[in-house]
Amino acid sequence: MRLGLLDMIGLAASLVFALPLANYAVVRLVAGEVALGAGLLVVAVAMVVLPQYFLDPARIARRLLSGLLPRQLRGDTDSADAGRESGADESESPDAAAVDGDDATGR
């Protein structure tokens, strides 16, 4: 994963808060408070991992915009295949021959 400048700044900001929490979690684990230490360690890891892998702003914007576009303009093959599987046959429409460039003689 290649990180840009803003991604690096975001990662640094996450680490500023996650590292002290992870340090405290390790101290609690060594002190014998396993449940508290493990829980805080999971929270510290989630603070770094979630924004980097699951909450990518570019991916969220791309999904949002593709959801707003009509199915024909999305450009993904999944939605086109879903239309064909649902019973919509392109050969039945009169515009399909014009779009494909085929005429009635089969040339």
Side-chain angles (χ1 to χ4, degrees), residues 22-42:
N23 186 26
Y24 183 70
V26 170
V27 168
R28 292 292 97 199
L29 280 171
V30 171
E33 297 179 26
V34 178
L36 179 63
L40 290 176
L41 197 58
V42 168

Side-chain angles (χ1 to χ4, degrees), residues 3 5 10 15 20 23-24 30 38 40-41 53 55 60-61 68 76 78 84-85 88-89 100:
L3 297 176
L5 180 62
L15 287 173
N23 186 26
Y24 183 70
V30 171
L40 290 176
L41 197 58
Y53 291 103
L55 302 176
I60 292 171
L68 295 176
D76 58 31
D78 295 337
R84 278 189 232 125
E85 291 174 1
D89 189 13
D100 293 337

Side-chain angles (χ1 to χ4, degrees), residues 6 11 26 28-29 32 49 65 82 88 96:
L6 293 178
L11 179 61
V26 170
R28 292 292 97 199
L29 280 171
V49 171
L65 291 176

Side-chain angles (χ1 to χ4, degrees), residues 55 66 73 88:
L55 302 176
S66 70
L73 298 177

Side-chain angles (χ1 to χ4, degrees), residues 1 24-25 54 78 81 92 104:
M1 173 174 68
Y24 183 70
F54 299 111
D78 295 337
D81 292 340
E92 293 176 4

